[in-house]
Amino acid sequence: RQKMEVRLKEEIEKEKQKVLDEARRQKEAELRAKEELQRVMEENAKRVAEQQARMLAEAQQREQERLRELERRAQEEALERQTREQQLAAERRAQQSVLLNRTHERPRVAFSLGGKANPFD
C-alpha cells in the first residue's frame, strides 16, 4: 500500500510538473509573441517616420522649386517691364525731339518773286 501511495504521489508530482512546464512554456511563448509584436510595431513606426520624412523632404523640394520658378518669372516680368518702359521713354524722347525740331524749323517757302528760295535759309 505504501508503494502505491508513493507511486501515486510520484505520478501526481510528475503530472503537476508537466502542468507547470506547460504553463512556463506558454508564458515564454506569450513573452516571445509580445517581444515580436513590440519589434514589429517599432519597425512599422520607424518605417512610417522615414516615409513621412521623405514625403516632407519631397514637399519642401517641390515648394523650393515652385518659389524658384516664381522668382524667375518675376525677374523676367521685371526685365520685360523695364525694357518696355525704356522703349516707351525712347519713343517719347524721339517724338519730343521731332516736335522740338519742327517748332524751331523755319519754313522753307519759295518767294513768289521769281521763284527764288528764301535767301535767309
Side-chain angles (χ1 to χ4, degrees):
R1 192 175 167 193
Q2 278 186 338
K3 278 187 172 182
M4 275 187 74
E5 284 179 11
V6 168
R7 236 186 296 180
L8 192 59
K9 282 184 181 179
E10 286 175 354
E11 295 249 345
I12 291 173
E13 193 58 38
K14 280 183 183 179
E15 198 59 37
K16 189 175 161 184
Q17 194 59 44
K18 281 183 184 178
V19 169
L20 289 174
D21 287 347
E22 182 60 29
R24 182 179 45 77
R25 278 193 295 276
Q26 282 182 349
K27 280 199 172 215
E28 289 173 353
E30 286 175 10
L31 182 60
R32 282 192 304 273
K34 283 181 182 178
E35 289 171 348
E36 178 66 14
L37 178 61
Q38 182 67 28
R39 185 187 65 76
V40 167
M41 287 172 58
E42 287 172 0
E43 285 179 2
N44 285 344
K46 182 180 174 185
R47 197 167 34 252
V48 166
E50 288 171 351
Q51 183 181 13
Q52 287 176 338
R54 247 190 332 272
M55 290 170 59
L56 178 62
E58 290 170 357
Q60 287 173 336
Q61 184 177 1
R62 283 191 305 273
E63 182 63 14
Q64 287 174 348
E65 289 171 4
R66 188 182 73 79
L67 290 175
R68 278 193 297 268
E69 178 62 20
L70 287 175
E71 178 65 25
R72 185 189 64 76
R73 276 195 232 146
Q75 287 177 353
E76 280 181 4
E77 290 172 4
L79 183 61
E80 288 174 7
R81 189 170 41 255
Q82 183 181 10
T83 303
R84 270 195 315 274
E85 289 171 358
Q86 288 173 348
Q87 287 174 342
L88 287 174
E91 289 174 8
R92 278 193 298 272
R93 283 192 305 272
Q95 287 174 351
Q96 288 173 349
S97 175
V98 167
L99 288 176
L100 284 175
N101 286 342
R102 284 186 183 159
T103 57
H104 294 301
E105 240 177 41
R106 290 197 322 264
R108 298 182 185 270
V109 286
F111 280 103
S112 57
L113 302 172
K116 294 183 180 175
N118 187 342
F120 302 106
D121 277 351

Short mmCIF file of all heavy atoms in Angstrom, two decimals, residues 8-64:
data_model
loop_
_atom_site.label_atom_id
_atom_site.label_comp_id
_atom_site.label_asym_id
_atom_site.label_seq_id
_atom_site.Cartn_x
_atom_site.Cartn_y
_atom_site.Cartn_z
N LEU A 8 1.68 6.86 -6.48
CA LEU A 8 0.62 7.81 -6.74
C LEU A 8 1.11 9.23 -6.52
O LEU A 8 0.87 10.12 -7.34
CB LEU A 8 -0.58 7.51 -5.84
CG LEU A 8 -1.87 8.23 -6.17
CD1 LEU A 8 -2.33 7.89 -7.58
CD2 LEU A 8 -2.95 7.87 -5.15
N LYS A 9 1.85 9.44 -5.46
CA LYS A 9 2.42 10.76 -5.19
C LYS A 9 3.40 11.14 -6.29
O LYS A 9 3.42 12.29 -6.74
CB LYS A 9 3.13 10.78 -3.83
CG LYS A 9 2.21 10.88 -2.67
CD LYS A 9 2.99 10.99 -1.37
CE LYS A 9 2.05 11.07 -0.18
NZ LYS A 9 2.77 11.15 1.08
N GLU A 10 4.21 10.17 -6.74
CA GLU A 10 5.16 10.44 -7.82
C GLU A 10 4.42 10.81 -9.11
O GLU A 10 4.81 11.73 -9.82
CB GLU A 10 6.06 9.23 -8.06
CG GLU A 10 7.11 9.04 -6.98
CD GLU A 10 7.91 7.75 -7.19
OE1 GLU A 10 7.57 6.95 -8.11
OE2 GLU A 10 8.86 7.56 -6.44
N GLU A 11 3.34 10.05 -9.40
CA GLU A 11 2.55 10.35 -10.59
C GLU A 11 1.92 11.74 -10.49
O GLU A 11 1.91 12.50 -11.46
CB GLU A 11 1.46 9.29 -10.77
CG GLU A 11 1.97 7.92 -11.05
CD GLU A 11 1.66 7.45 -12.45
OE1 GLU A 11 0.81 8.07 -13.12
OE2 GLU A 11 2.30 6.50 -12.88
N ILE A 12 1.39 12.05 -9.32
CA ILE A 12 0.80 13.36 -9.11
C ILE A 12 1.86 14.43 -9.28
O ILE A 12 1.63 15.46 -9.93
CB ILE A 12 0.13 13.45 -7.71
CG1 ILE A 12 -1.10 12.55 -7.68
CG2 ILE A 12 -0.24 14.88 -7.37
CD1 ILE A 12 -1.75 12.43 -6.30
N GLU A 13 3.04 14.18 -8.72
CA GLU A 13 4.15 15.15 -8.84
C GLU A 13 4.57 15.31 -10.30
O GLU A 13 4.80 16.43 -10.77
CB GLU A 13 5.32 14.67 -7.97
CG GLU A 13 6.41 15.69 -7.76
CD GLU A 13 5.92 16.99 -7.09
OE1 GLU A 13 5.06 16.95 -6.20
OE2 GLU A 13 6.40 18.06 -7.53
N LYS A 14 4.65 14.19 -11.03
CA LYS A 14 5.00 14.26 -12.47
C LYS A 14 3.95 15.07 -13.23
O LYS A 14 4.29 15.90 -14.07
CB LYS A 14 5.10 12.86 -13.07
CG LYS A 14 6.38 12.15 -12.78
CD LYS A 14 6.36 10.80 -13.51
CE LYS A 14 7.61 10.01 -13.18
NZ LYS A 14 7.60 8.69 -13.84
N GLU A 15 2.68 14.77 -12.96
CA GLU A 15 1.60 15.48 -13.64
C GLU A 15 1.64 16.96 -13.30
O GLU A 15 1.49 17.83 -14.16
CB GLU A 15 0.25 14.87 -13.24
CG GLU A 15 -0.89 15.18 -14.15
CD GLU A 15 -0.67 14.74 -15.59
OE1 GLU A 15 -0.08 13.67 -15.85
OE2 GLU A 15 -1.08 15.52 -16.48
N LYS A 16 1.89 17.24 -12.04
CA LYS A 16 2.00 18.63 -11.59
C LYS A 16 3.15 19.32 -12.31
O LYS A 16 3.02 20.46 -12.78
CB LYS A 16 2.22 18.63 -10.07
CG LYS A 16 2.14 19.96 -9.41
CD LYS A 16 2.25 19.73 -7.89
CE LYS A 16 2.64 20.97 -7.16
NZ LYS A 16 2.83 20.73 -5.73
N GLN A 17 4.28 18.62 -12.42
CA GLN A 17 5.45 19.17 -13.11
C GLN A 17 5.14 19.41 -14.59
O GLN A 17 5.54 20.43 -15.14
CB GLN A 17 6.66 18.23 -12.94
CG GLN A 17 7.97 18.85 -13.32
CD GLN A 17 8.29 20.10 -12.49
OE1 GLN A 17 8.10 20.10 -11.27
NE2 GLN A 17 8.75 21.15 -13.14
N LYS A 18 4.41 18.48 -15.22
CA LYS A 18 4.02 18.65 -16.62
C LYS A 18 3.17 19.93 -16.78
O LYS A 18 3.38 20.70 -17.70
CB LYS A 18 3.22 17.45 -17.12
CG LYS A 18 4.04 16.25 -17.48
CD LYS A 18 3.11 15.17 -18.03
CE LYS A 18 3.85 13.89 -18.33
NZ LYS A 18 2.95 12.82 -18.82
N VAL A 19 2.22 20.09 -15.88
CA VAL A 19 1.34 21.26 -15.94
C VAL A 19 2.16 22.53 -15.74
O VAL A 19 2.00 23.53 -16.47
CB VAL A 19 0.21 21.15 -14.89
CG1 VAL A 19 -0.55 22.46 -14.76
CG2 VAL A 19 -0.74 20.01 -15.24
N LEU A 20 3.08 22.51 -14.77
CA LEU A 20 3.93 23.67 -14.52
C LEU A 20 4.83 23.97 -15.73
O LEU A 20 5.01 25.12 -16.13
CB LEU A 20 4.78 23.48 -13.26
CG LEU A 20 4.03 23.51 -11.94
CD1 LEU A 20 4.97 23.16 -10.78
CD2 LEU A 20 3.43 24.89 -11.71
N ASP A 21 5.40 22.92 -16.33
CA ASP A 21 6.25 23.08 -17.52
C ASP A 21 5.45 23.68 -18.68
O ASP A 21 5.92 24.58 -19.39
CB ASP A 21 6.86 21.75 -17.95
CG ASP A 21 7.97 21.28 -17.02
OD1 ASP A 21 8.44 22.11 -16.19
OD2 ASP A 21 8.37 20.09 -17.12
N GLU A 22 4.23 23.17 -18.86
CA GLU A 22 3.39 23.69 -19.95
C GLU A 22 3.04 25.15 -19.69
O GLU A 22 3.08 25.98 -20.61
CB GLU A 22 2.12 22.83 -20.07
CG GLU A 22 1.20 23.27 -21.19
CD GLU A 22 1.85 23.20 -22.57
OE1 GLU A 22 2.75 22.38 -22.80
OE2 GLU A 22 1.45 24.03 -23.43
N ALA A 23 2.72 25.49 -18.46
CA ALA A 23 2.41 26.88 -18.11
C ALA A 23 3.63 27.76 -18.37
O ALA A 23 3.51 28.88 -18.91
CB ALA A 23 1.96 26.97 -16.66
N ARG A 24 4.82 27.26 -17.98
CA ARG A 24 6.05 28.04 -18.22
C ARG A 24 6.27 28.22 -19.72
O ARG A 24 6.60 29.32 -20.17
CB ARG A 24 7.24 27.31 -17.56
CG ARG A 24 8.55 28.06 -17.69
CD ARG A 24 9.71 27.34 -17.01
NE ARG A 24 9.79 25.92 -17.26
CZ ARG A 24 10.24 25.35 -18.39
NH1 ARG A 24 10.65 26.10 -19.40
NH2 ARG A 24 10.29 24.04 -18.52
N ARG A 25 6.09 27.15 -20.50
CA ARG A 25 6.26 27.26 -21.96
C ARG A 25 5.27 28.26 -22.55
O ARG A 25 5.62 29.04 -23.42
CB ARG A 25 6.11 25.89 -22.61
CG ARG A 25 7.36 25.04 -22.55
CD ARG A 25 7.26 23.84 -23.49
NE ARG A 25 6.23 22.90 -23.11
CZ ARG A 25 6.38 21.92 -22.19
NH1 ARG A 25 7.52 21.78 -21.57
NH2 ARG A 25 5.37 21.11 -21.93
N GLN A 26 4.03 28.24 -22.08
CA GLN A 26 3.03 29.19 -22.57
C GLN A 26 3.42 30.62 -22.22
O GLN A 26 3.29 31.52 -23.05
CB GLN A 26 1.65 28.87 -21.99
CG GLN A 26 0.97 27.71 -22.67
CD GLN A 26 -0.42 27.45 -22.10
OE1 GLN A 26 -0.80 28.00 -21.08
NE2 GLN A 26 -1.16 26.58 -22.78
N LYS A 27 3.90 30.82 -20.99
CA LYS A 27 4.33 32.16 -20.60
C LYS A 27 5.51 32.61 -21.45
O LYS A 27 5.56 33.78 -21.89
CB LYS A 27 4.72 32.20 -19.11
CG LYS A 27 3.54 32.30 -18.21
CD LYS A 27 3.98 32.79 -16.85
CE LYS A 27 2.73 33.06 -16.04
NZ LYS A 27 2.85 34.17 -15.16
N GLU A 28 6.46 31.75 -21.71
CA GLU A 28 7.61 32.09 -22.56
C GLU A 28 7.14 32.40 -23.98
O GLU A 28 7.63 33.36 -24.60
CB GLU A 28 8.62 30.94 -22.56
CG GLU A 28 9.38 30.79 -21.25
CD GLU A 28 10.26 29.54 -21.21
OE1 GLU A 28 10.18 28.71 -22.16
OE2 GLU A 28 11.01 29.39 -20.24
N ALA A 29 6.20 31.61 -24.48
CA ALA A 29 5.68 31.85 -25.83
C ALA A 29 4.95 33.20 -25.88
O ALA A 29 5.10 33.97 -26.84
CB ALA A 29 4.74 30.72 -26.25
N GLU A 30 4.17 33.49 -24.84
CA GLU A 30 3.49 34.79 -24.79
C GLU A 30 4.50 35.93 -24.74
O GLU A 30 4.33 36.95 -25.41
CB GLU A 30 2.57 34.85 -23.56
CG GLU A 30 1.32 34.03 -23.68
CD GLU A 30 0.49 34.03 -22.40
OE1 GLU A 30 0.80 34.84 -21.48
OE2 GLU A 30 -0.46 33.24 -22.32
N LEU A 31 5.54 35.75 -23.94
CA LEU A 31 6.58 36.78 -23.85
C LEU A 31 7.27 36.98 -25.20
O LEU A 31 7.47 38.11 -25.64
CB LEU A 31 7.60 36.40 -22.77
CG LEU A 31 8.72 37.40 -22.52
CD1 LEU A 31 8.15 38.74 -22.07
CD2 LEU A 31 9.70 36.87 -21.49
N ARG A 32 7.60 35.87 -25.88
CA ARG A 32 8.23 35.97 -27.22
C ARG A 32 7.28 36.67 -28.19
O ARG A 32 7.69 37.50 -28.99
CB ARG A 32 8.63 34.60 -27.74
CG ARG A 32 9.90 34.06 -27.13
CD ARG A 32 10.41 32.83 -27.90
NE ARG A 32 9.44 31.77 -28.00
CZ ARG A 32 9.25 30.80 -27.10
NH1 ARG A 32 9.98 30.77 -25.99
NH2 ARG A 32 8.34 29.86 -27.29
N ALA A 33 5.99 36.33 -28.12
CA ALA A 33 5.00 36.95 -29.01
C ALA A 33 4.90 38.45 -28.72
O ALA A 33 4.85 39.27 -29.65
CB ALA A 33 3.64 36.28 -28.84
N LYS A 34 4.91 38.83 -27.43
CA LYS A 34 4.86 40.25 -27.08
C LYS A 34 6.10 40.97 -27.58
O LYS A 34 6.02 42.08 -28.11
CB LYS A 34 4.74 40.43 -25.56
CG LYS A 34 3.37 40.17 -25.02
CD LYS A 34 3.34 40.41 -23.51
CE LYS A 34 1.97 40.10 -22.94
NZ LYS A 34 1.94 40.28 -21.48
N GLU A 35 7.27 40.33 -27.41
CA GLU A 35 8.52 40.94 -27.89
C GLU A 35 8.50 41.10 -29.41
O GLU A 35 8.92 42.13 -29.94
CB GLU A 35 9.72 40.10 -27.45
CG GLU A 35 9.99 40.17 -25.96
CD GLU A 35 11.05 39.17 -25.50
OE1 GLU A 35 11.42 38.26 -26.30
OE2 GLU A 35 11.50 39.29 -24.35
N GLU A 36 8.01 40.07 -30.11
CA GLU A 36 7.92 40.13 -31.57
C GLU A 36 6.95 41.24 -32.00
O GLU A 36 7.24 42.00 -32.93
CB GLU A 36 7.48 38.77 -32.12
CG GLU A 36 7.32 38.73 -33.63
CD GLU A 36 8.63 38.92 -34.39
OE1 GLU A 36 9.71 38.84 -33.81
OE2 GLU A 36 8.55 39.16 -35.61
N LEU A 37 5.82 41.31 -31.32
CA LEU A 37 4.85 42.35 -31.62
C LEU A 37 5.48 43.73 -31.39
O LEU A 37 5.33 44.63 -32.22
CB LEU A 37 3.61 42.18 -30.76
CG LEU A 37 2.52 43.24 -30.94
CD1 LEU A 37 1.99 43.23 -32.38
CD2 LEU A 37 1.40 43.02 -29.94
N GLN A 38 6.20 43.90 -30.29
CA GLN A 38 6.85 45.17 -29.99
C GLN A 38 7.88 45.51 -31.08
O GLN A 38 7.94 46.64 -31.56
CB GLN A 38 7.54 45.09 -28.62
CG GLN A 38 8.20 46.37 -28.19
CD GLN A 38 7.21 47.49 -27.93
OE1 GLN A 38 6.07 47.25 -27.57
NE2 GLN A 38 7.65 48.71 -28.13
N ARG A 39 8.66 44.51 -31.50
CA ARG A 39 9.67 44.72 -32.55
C ARG A 39 9.01 45.14 -33.86
O ARG A 39 9.45 46.10 -34.52
CB ARG A 39 10.50 43.44 -32.75
CG ARG A 39 11.65 43.59 -33.73
CD ARG A 39 12.32 42.26 -34.02
NE ARG A 39 11.43 41.32 -34.70
CZ ARG A 39 11.11 41.38 -35.98
NH1 ARG A 39 11.57 42.34 -36.75
NH2 ARG A 39 10.31 40.48 -36.52
N VAL A 40 7.93 44.45 -34.22
CA VAL A 40 7.21 44.77 -35.46
C VAL A 40 6.63 46.17 -35.39
O VAL A 40 6.72 46.95 -36.35
CB VAL A 40 6.12 43.71 -35.75
CG1 VAL A 40 5.18 44.17 -36.84
CG2 VAL A 40 6.76 42.38 -36.12
N MET A 41 6.04 46.50 -34.22
CA MET A 41 5.47 47.83 -34.07
C MET A 41 6.56 48.91 -34.18
O MET A 41 6.34 49.95 -34.80
CB MET A 41 4.72 47.94 -32.74
CG MET A 41 3.41 47.17 -32.74
SD MET A 41 2.61 47.08 -31.11
CE MET A 41 2.41 48.79 -30.70
N GLU A 42 7.72 48.67 -33.59
CA GLU A 42 8.82 49.64 -33.68
C GLU A 42 9.31 49.78 -35.11
O GLU A 42 9.58 50.89 -35.57
CB GLU A 42 9.96 49.21 -32.75
CG GLU A 42 9.66 49.42 -31.28
CD GLU A 42 10.71 48.81 -30.36
OE1 GLU A 42 11.69 48.21 -30.86
OE2 GLU A 42 10.54 48.93 -29.13
N GLU A 43 9.42 48.64 -35.81
CA GLU A 43 9.84 48.69 -37.23
C GLU A 43 8.82 49.48 -38.05
O GLU A 43 9.20 50.29 -38.89
CB GLU A 43 9.99 47.28 -37.79
CG GLU A 43 11.23 46.57 -37.34
CD GLU A 43 11.33 45.15 -37.90
OE1 GLU A 43 10.43 44.74 -38.69
OE2 GLU A 43 12.29 44.46 -37.55
N ASN A 44 7.54 49.22 -37.81
CA ASN A 44 6.49 49.94 -38.55
C ASN A 44 6.55 51.43 -38.24
O ASN A 44 6.43 52.25 -39.16
CB ASN A 44 5.11 49.38 -38.21
CG ASN A 44 4.84 48.05 -38.87
OD1 ASN A 44 5.53 47.65 -39.80
ND2 ASN A 44 3.84 47.34 -38.37
N ALA A 45 6.72 51.77 -36.97
CA ALA A 45 6.80 53.18 -36.59
C ALA A 45 8.01 53.84 -37.27
O ALA A 45 7.92 54.97 -37.77
CB ALA A 45 6.89 53.32 -35.08
N LYS A 46 9.12 53.11 -37.29
CA LYS A 46 10.33 53.63 -37.94
C LYS A 46 10.08 53.83 -39.44
O LYS A 46 10.44 54.87 -40.02
CB LYS A 46 11.49 52.67 -37.71
CG LYS A 46 12.79 53.13 -38.29
CD LYS A 46 13.90 52.12 -38.01
CE LYS A 46 15.19 52.49 -38.71
NZ LYS A 46 16.22 51.47 -38.54
N ARG A 47 9.46 52.85 -40.06
CA ARG A 47 9.17 52.93 -41.50
C ARG A 47 8.23 54.10 -41.79
O ARG A 47 8.43 54.84 -42.74
CB ARG A 47 8.59 51.59 -41.97
CG ARG A 47 8.63 51.41 -43.46
CD ARG A 47 8.36 49.98 -43.93
NE ARG A 47 7.44 49.18 -43.17
CZ ARG A 47 7.80 48.15 -42.38
NH1 ARG A 47 9.05 47.81 -42.26
NH2 ARG A 47 6.89 47.46 -41.71
N VAL A 48 7.21 54.25 -40.96
CA VAL A 48 6.25 55.35 -41.15
C VAL A 48 6.98 56.69 -40.98
O VAL A 48 6.78 57.62 -41.77
CB VAL A 48 5.07 55.23 -40.16
CG1 VAL A 48 4.27 56.52 -40.10
CG2 VAL A 48 4.17 54.07 -40.57
N ALA A 49 7.83 56.79 -39.95
CA ALA A 49 8.57 58.04 -39.72
C ALA A 49 9.49 58.35 -40.91
O ALA A 49 9.58 59.50 -41.35
CB ALA A 49 9.38 57.95 -38.43
N GLU A 50 10.16 57.32 -41.42
CA GLU A 50 11.03 57.53 -42.59
C GLU A 50 10.22 57.97 -43.80
O GLU A 50 10.63 58.87 -44.54
CB GLU A 50 11.80 56.24 -42.90
CG GLU A 50 12.88 55.91 -41.90
CD GLU A 50 13.48 54.53 -42.11
OE1 GLU A 50 12.94 53.74 -42.93
OE2 GLU A 50 14.49 54.23 -41.45
N GLN A 51 9.07 57.36 -44.00
CA GLN A 51 8.22 57.72 -45.14
C GLN A 51 7.72 59.16 -44.98
O GLN A 51 7.73 59.93 -45.95
CB GLN A 51 7.04 56.76 -45.23
CG GLN A 51 6.14 57.03 -46.43
CD GLN A 51 4.96 56.07 -46.49
OE1 GLN A 51 4.68 55.36 -45.53
NE2 GLN A 51 4.29 56.05 -47.62
N GLN A 52 7.32 59.52 -43.77
CA GLN A 52 6.85 60.89 -43.56
C GLN A 52 7.99 61.89 -43.78
O GLN A 52 7.78 62.95 -44.36
CB GLN A 52 6.28 61.04 -42.14
CG GLN A 52 4.94 60.36 -41.97
CD GLN A 52 4.43 60.43 -40.54
OE1 GLN A 52 5.19 60.61 -39.61
NE2 GLN A 52 3.13 60.27 -40.38
N ALA A 53 9.20 61.53 -43.33
CA ALA A 53 10.35 62.41 -43.54
C ALA A 53 10.63 62.57 -45.03
O ALA A 53 10.92 63.67 -45.52
CB ALA A 53 11.58 61.86 -42.81
N ARG A 54 10.54 61.47 -45.77
CA ARG A 54 10.75 61.51 -47.23
C ARG A 54 9.70 62.40 -47.89
O ARG A 54 10.02 63.23 -48.73
CB ARG A 54 10.67 60.10 -47.81
CG ARG A 54 11.96 59.57 -48.36
CD ARG A 54 11.81 58.27 -49.14
NE ARG A 54 10.74 57.38 -48.78
CZ ARG A 54 10.79 56.43 -47.85
NH1 ARG A 54 11.89 56.24 -47.17
NH2 ARG A 54 9.75 55.66 -47.61
N MET A 55 8.44 62.20 -47.49
CA MET A 55 7.35 62.99 -48.08
C MET A 55 7.53 64.47 -47.75
O MET A 55 7.31 65.32 -48.62
CB MET A 55 6.00 62.48 -47.58
CG MET A 55 5.62 61.11 -48.12
SD MET A 55 4.18 60.36 -47.32
CE MET A 55 2.93 61.58 -47.64
N LEU A 56 7.95 64.76 -46.53
CA LEU A 56 8.17 66.15 -46.14
C LEU A 56 9.32 66.75 -46.96
O LEU A 56 9.21 67.87 -47.47
CB LEU A 56 8.49 66.24 -44.65
CG LEU A 56 8.80 67.63 -44.12
CD1 LEU A 56 7.60 68.56 -44.30
CD2 LEU A 56 9.17 67.56 -42.64
N ALA A 57 10.40 65.99 -47.12
CA ALA A 57 11.54 66.49 -47.90
C ALA A 57 11.12 66.73 -49.36
O ALA A 57 11.49 67.74 -49.95
CB ALA A 57 12.70 65.49 -47.83
N GLU A 58 10.33 65.81 -49.90
CA GLU A 58 9.86 65.99 -51.29
C GLU A 58 8.96 67.22 -51.39
O GLU A 58 9.06 67.98 -52.35
CB GLU A 58 9.12 64.73 -51.75
CG GLU A 58 10.02 63.53 -51.96
CD GLU A 58 9.25 62.23 -52.17
OE1 GLU A 58 7.99 62.24 -52.11
OE2 GLU A 58 9.92 61.20 -52.39
N ALA A 59 8.09 67.40 -50.43
CA ALA A 59 7.20 68.56 -50.45
C ALA A 59 8.00 69.86 -50.34
O ALA A 59 7.72 70.83 -51.04
CB ALA A 59 6.18 68.47 -49.30
N GLN A 60 9.02 69.84 -49.48
CA GLN A 60 9.87 71.03 -49.33
C GLN A 60 10.61 71.31 -50.64
O GLN A 60 10.74 72.46 -51.06
CB GLN A 60 10.86 70.85 -48.18
CG GLN A 60 10.22 70.93 -46.82
CD GLN A 60 11.17 70.58 -45.69
OE1 GLN A 60 12.16 69.87 -45.90
NE2 GLN A 60 10.88 71.06 -44.50
N GLN A 61 11.09 70.25 -51.28
CA GLN A 61 11.81 70.42 -52.54
C GLN A 61 10.87 70.99 -53.61
O GLN A 61 11.24 71.92 -54.34
CB GLN A 61 12.38 69.08 -53.00
CG GLN A 61 13.23 69.19 -54.25
CD GLN A 61 13.84 67.86 -54.64
OE1 GLN A 61 13.63 66.84 -53.99
NE2 GLN A 61 14.61 67.86 -55.70
N ARG A 62 9.65 70.45 -53.68
CA ARG A 62 8.68 70.97 -54.65
C ARG A 62 8.38 72.44 -54.36
O ARG A 62 8.28 73.26 -55.28
CB ARG A 62 7.39 70.16 -54.63
CG ARG A 62 7.48 68.82 -55.33
CD ARG A 62 6.11 68.18 -55.50
NE ARG A 62 5.36 68.01 -54.28
CZ ARG A 62 5.45 66.97 -53.45
NH1 ARG A 62 6.27 65.98 -53.74
NH2 ARG A 62 4.71 66.91 -52.35
N GLU A 63 8.25 72.79 -53.09
CA GLU A 63 7.96 74.18 -52.72
C GLU A 63 9.13 75.08 -53.11
O GLU A 63 8.93 76.19 -53.62
CB GLU A 63 7.67 74.27 -51.22
CG GLU A 63 7.31 75.65 -50.75
CD GLU A 63 6.02 76.21 -51.34
OE1 GLU A 63 5.22 75.45 -51.93
OE2 GLU A 63 5.80 77.41 -51.20
N GLN A 64 10.36 74.62 -52.88
CA GLN A 64 11.53 75.42 -53.27
C GLN A 64 11.58 75.61 -54.78
O GLN A 64 11.87 76.71 -55.27
CB GLN A 64 12.82 74.74 -52.79
CG GLN A 64 13.03 74.85 -51.30
CD GLN A 64 14.24 74.06 -50.82
OE1 GLN A 64 14.80 73.25 -51.56
NE2 GLN A 64 14.63 74.29 -49.59
#
